[in-house]
Amino acid sequence: METVSTNEGSGKGAMWELERNLDQPMDAEAGRLRNMYREKTYPTILLLRLAFQSLGVVFGDLGTSPLYVFYNIFPQDIEDTEQVIGALSLIIYSLTLIPLVKYVFIVLRANDNGQGGTFALYSLLCRHAKINIIPNQHRTDEDLTTYSRQTYDEKSLAAKIKIWLEGHQFRKNVILILVLFGTCMAVGDGILTPAISVLSATGGIQVEVPGMRNDVVVIVSVVILIGLFSMQHYGTDKVSWLFAPIVFLWFILIGVLGAVNIYKYDKSVLKAFNPIYVYRYFKRGKTSWASLGGIMLSITGTEALFADLSFFPVQAIQIAFTTVVFPCLLLQYTGQAAYIATYKKKVNHSFYYSLPESILWPAFVVATAAAIVSSQATISATYSIIKQALAVGCFPRVKIIHTSKKYLGQIYSPDINWILMILCIAVTAGFKNQSQIANAYGTAVIIVMLVTTFLMIPIMLLVWRSHWSLVVLFTVLSLAVEIPYLTAVMQKIDQGGWVPLVFAVAILIIMYVWHYGTLKRYEFEMHSKVSMAWILGLGPSLGLVRVPGMGLVYTELASGVPHIFSHFITNLPAIHSTLVFVCVKYLPVYTVPPDERFLVKRIGPKSFHMFRCVARYGYKDVHRKDDDFEKMLFGSLLLFVRLESMMEEYTDSDEYSARDQQELIHEASSDADLSYASRDSIVPVRTPNHGSGGQTTMTMTPGFQTVGDEVAFLNSCRDAGVVHILGNTVIRARRDSGFVKKFAIDYLYAFLRKICRENSAIFNVPHESLLNVGQVFYV
């Protein structure tokens, strides 16, 4: 923050003192708010209720896996019962090691204030190491109540890892690409989960009507999928009260059916709990290794445990999984194996064949409902993933609608919804076969799990400060299970496994090109920003006629005056009497509390009437239609002016404390009437500075006589009209650039910018108040 007068002894003026005081956190208050956000405790009854509700949102995908697992393990004839026992043994220990041990008890702890998923891990890393590609963070961002990070001893392993990660741009790019690739695979999961879940559930019709053609099942599945995607705009909050009872009923059904089948058909399958049968299974040859792709489907949906964490506390998910989900799945897989060991020719739709005939149709209805619920959870998770990618500048701006006033994470994107529907229907109608869709599904899921494993390594070292031996143990056990599964699904690339890879590569190209263009635009603004010496040289009028009104100049910069401003004032004869440079930036936190959203500072002397306002958002925050961005910004501006005046009165006091600042903030925020009679006069004011010997120097600076005058002036500017000035920086590839760069910048990035939403639409800027200023930049 610049001031006209400076202290001769220290070189620091009163405005510097003000900035320092504003940036100082109130330790007691900040500590209380941090505990409120990070250390929530729940009564036992409430925790049990949340655990029950989590069944409908988190576990639907994992719970519907028994519909198609054994068919994909044994697409050919089964040799003997021991082969079934070996496959069952692999399922049991895969469920134990991956969902139970790795995710429920380890990975879920790596949440970002209750938020899960790939970007939550990346946000944690960005706060503990400076690996964010766009360096637009400021030290004041670390004072947010939702911003948590740790400091390290210089000789510790964590400090060395941090320095190594920050040491080279290549390492930062590798982490970013890893996160983006995992995100792309998670989006592919959102396309494939509805396809395989609904198709597998509706396949039960063929058990009751054996002569029915497969095309009819596909048509029924497509109709259900169209209905599912068409209802998305209502939001999960409207129908979520049905989810938990449906999935709970489903788990009870499969658990009881599994127990009955064990007793009724073949109790020898219980030998599968002996891990020796895993060894014997692999000794059978290459067919056993190839079947790993089908066995891996038993743990699909596990990644949803982490991605959907934002809806429920970790303890609720742990209770639901250990008391309901895990035992019911074990009973169902064991019971289904007992049936298959007896009827080896009926492995196709073995779940439905193992049902008593009297409950076949009710079970079919429940299975279809559970498949729809599992699809809903994955689709909602996809919206959240896209929103998080958009927040960090890695995805084109799309329309995001907040569907719930109670839950922060429940959003809907119509653009993404219809793209998902088209791709999902294309997969369902194109393959018409569970086996090929399952191969594609398995590829997407295992890659997401591997990305999570690799990101957990720096999380354990930097955030948890775990001993290196524990990190090695976690990594070895995770990779020992996931690498064999990866090699198995890679062998089926030509049998459907290529689908998620194609999706992922296409989405990755879009995300990386958009991020590259965003980064280059930011670098251009950083390197070409206007110097304050030039601004001050223009004088209070900025060399133009200052007309009544307020101009909001939007910029990517959190500090400095953007180049677009010089372009603006050199081409127009007049400028607004008050200017506010607005920077909207996203931070690596899940949310920014509304009372901490805006940072306001003054640019130049008071007579220039120029301010900078930084609006900070988390990756879960959404700009709602009912949010009056302009009103909130103006309120923060008035509050700053009053606080600035109050704090100037305290600069000579040696007893100034955080408590005084808190009282001032309370006084300013509780004062409803901020309008005063205007006395538009320019008079000399005193700027107190601490000179040597306790004396105060006098500096003549034009300004307002009282704070009321400036508040009245700002109110009059707003009443005269607010104009939103948006910079439209167009980037182009240089003539000597290669073909790939020219295609990426001049065609792909230009096309994405053309079809994406404008910033004016995101902030609900009226068209009549909008002014676009364009410029071209060559990279």
Side-chain angles (χ1 to χ4, degrees), residues 225-227 229-230 416-426:
L225 289 172
I226 292 175
F229 282 100
S230 299
I416 300 301
N417 182 67
W418 301 124
I419 293 174
L420 285 178
M421 187 187 76
I422 293 171
L423 294 175
C424 189
I425 291 174

Side-chain angles (χ1 to χ4, degrees), residues 115-414:
Q115 306 299 312
T118 306
F119 272 104
L121 296 178
Y122 185 61
S123 296
L124 278 174
L125 287 178
C126 287
R127 293 208 299 271
H128 289 80
K130 296 178 181 178
I131 59 173
N132 197 0
I133 303 298
I134 300 180
N136 63 345
Q137 289 183 232
H138 190 263
R139 60 184 177 86
T140 53
D141 299 334
E142 299 177 9
D143 293 334
L144 287 171
T145 53
T146 52
Y147 197 107
S148 59
R149 62 191 296 263
Q150 299 183 21
T151 57
Y152 311 102
D153 183 79
E154 293 182 359
K155 298 181 180 180
S156 65
L157 177 62
K160 294 177 181 178
I161 296 293
K162 179 178 180 291
I163 294 172
W164 184 80
L165 288 175
E166 298 173 349
H168 200 282
Q169 188 68 26
F170 173 77
R171 295 165 197 150
K172 299 179 183 180
N173 286 328
V174 168
I175 294 176
L176 177 65
I177 292 175
L178 182 67
V179 170
L180 294 183
F181 192 66
T183 301
C184 296
M185 281 296 178
V187 174
D189 190 8
I191 297 169
L192 296 168
T193 297
I196 191 170
S197 298
V198 174
L199 189 61
S200 300
T202 54
I205 303 175
Q206 293 177 310
V207 175
E208 186 69 19
V209 188
M212 181 176 289
R213 294 172 53 193
N214 193 55
D215 291 342
V216 177
V217 176
V218 171
I219 292 173
V220 173
S221 300
V222 169
V223 170
I224 292 174
L225 289 172
I226 292 175
L228 173 64
F229 282 100
S230 299
M231 294 175 60
Q232 291 301 309
H233 67 281
Y234 292 109
T236 54
D237 189 39
K238 302 292 191 303
V239 291
S240 60
W241 61 274
L242 276 175
F243 288 3
I246 289 174
V247 178
F248 180 73
L249 180 62
W250 169 253
F251 277 114
I252 295 302
L253 172 67
I254 65 174
V256 172
L257 176 65
V260 170
N261 286 343
I262 295 170
Y263 176 79
K264 183 178 179 180
Y265 293 109
D266 192 347
K267 299 184 182 65
S268 66
V269 294
L270 293 173
K271 294 186 291 185
F273 285 87
N274 186 345
I276 191 64
Y277 285 93
V278 173
Y279 172 72
R280 292 182 181 179
Y281 185 75
F282 283 118
K283 283 187 66 177
R284 303 179 73 92
K286 292 182 179 179
T287 56
S288 297
W289 192 269
S291 68
L292 282 177
I295 294 171
M296 199 217 65
L297 295 176
S298 64
I299 58 176
T300 54
T302 303
E303 70 284 356
L305 292 177
F306 193 42
D308 292 330
L309 184 61
S310 59
F311 296 103
F312 303 98
V314 172
Q315 301 96 317
I317 294 178
Q318 290 174 336
I319 291 172
F321 186 84
T322 53
T323 60
V324 177
V325 178
F326 187 62
C328 288
L329 285 176
L330 289 183
L331 285 172
Q332 171 55 213
Y333 283 118
T334 307
Q336 204 172 148
Y339 177 83
I340 294 171
T342 305
Y343 299 98
K344 296 181 176 61
K345 299 294 184 182
K346 293 187 176 181
V347 67
N348 189 13
H349 301 304
S350 58
F351 172 80
Y352 287 109
Y353 281 122
S354 66
L355 288 168
E357 196 169 329
S358 58
I359 66 167
L360 180 60
W361 283 110
F364 169 75
V365 173
V366 175
T368 304
I372 292 173
V373 170
S374 68
S375 303
Q376 173 66 56
T378 311
I379 294 168
S380 299
T382 304
Y383 298 150
S384 297
I385 289 169
I386 295 297
K387 171 66 179 67
Q388 292 173 11
L390 188 152
V392 295
C394 293
F395 200 83
R397 294 182 295 270
V398 294
K399 188 174 184 179
I400 300 292
I401 299 173
H402 207 94
T403 60
S404 173
K405 293 182 179 180
K406 294 186 294 183
Y407 301 107
L408 182 67
Q410 293 190 4
I411 57 176
Y412 163 69
S413 173

